[in-house]
Amino acid sequence: MEALLIPLAILVLAAVVVVLVARALGRRRNPGAESGPAGAPSSQEAARAAAQVLDQDQHRRVYAFIARGQAVAAIQAYREATGTGLRAARDAVAALAAHPQQFREAAPVDAPAEDAGVPQHFPYRYRAIASRGEVTREVSSTMLNDEIYGRIRRQAADGDVEGAAAALCRHSDISLDEAREFIALLED
């Protein structure tokens, strides 16, 4: 019986090592499995709220880490900047990565609205895609974001196709004819 004890201990130890290695490889293949509770969405509002608590240097630093794919460093930078806990910082960085936010200074209460005629450039390229059947068009620009593109879509849905095409042309590097083609694909 004693002769079987050592091989049995080696067999159990090998099984434990195999299970641990399989778990580690499974986590690497499915990194989202550890990120937050199931069904916890990273919304535009969460990203906006996360970005509002950062000053310009902190904002730039967090997004530099996100752009390089260094999520852990981005979370650490966010925690240092805000003093939040690990889970809150992880959720904030996930929201910021999913919904990029431009840095905005806290606007005074009586500040005038942005001039709609002068598009501003964002630190990322926004991609808008429209398709119908086999036809697909894409607009990629640093002068577009979710908010501006949403206004253009609403304008087109309200029947102001020319105004929507002009706005899209103003916020991208495409011609008015290309913008009209793109807007025509948005219409239902």
Side-chain angles (χ1 to χ4, degrees), residues 2 22 24 41 51-52 59 70 88 90 92 96 113 116 120 133 158 165 168 170 184-185:
E2 292 176 18
Q52 286 177 344
H59 187 271
Q70 298 174 341
R90 181 196 63 198
L96 290 170
Q120 57 188 128
D158 290 342
L168 183 60
R170 190 171 52 250
L185 294 176

Side-chain angles (χ1 to χ4, degrees), residues 113-176:
E114 293 181 12
D115 181 12
V118 180
Q120 57 188 128
H121 291 270
F122 301 104
Y124 55 87
R125 281 192 91 63
Y126 183 88
R127 290 179 53 202
I129 301 172
S131 65
R132 179 179 290 153
E134 296 291 319
V135 179
T136 301
R137 297 285 184 264
E138 176 182 335
V139 175
S140 178
S141 175
T142 59
M143 296 177 280
L144 278 173
N145 65 14
D146 282 335
E147 182 180 337
I148 294 167
Y149 182 58
R151 283 191 301 220
I152 292 170
R153 288 182 62 110
R154 280 190 301 278
Q155 196 172 5
D158 290 342
D160 185 9
V161 176
E162 279 302 308
L168 183 60
C169 186
R170 190 171 52 250
H171 286 89
S172 64
D173 297 324
I174 63 173
S175 70
L176 188 57

Side-chain angles (χ1 to χ4, degrees), residues 12 21 38-39 58 65 72 75 77 83 89 97 99 102 105 116 126 131 149-150 153 163 187:
V12 168
V21 168
Q58 295 164 341
F65 286 127
V72 174
I75 292 168
H99 305 282
Q102 174 187 358
E105 300 258 349
Y126 183 88
S131 65
Y149 182 58
R153 288 182 62 110
E187 296 175 353

Side-chain angles (χ1 to χ4, degrees), residues 68-88:
R68 288 188 296 236
Q70 298 174 341
V72 174
I75 292 168
Q76 184 176 359
Y78 190 87
R79 287 185 73 196
E80 289 171 2
T82 62
T84 60
L86 179 61
R87 181 172 290 170

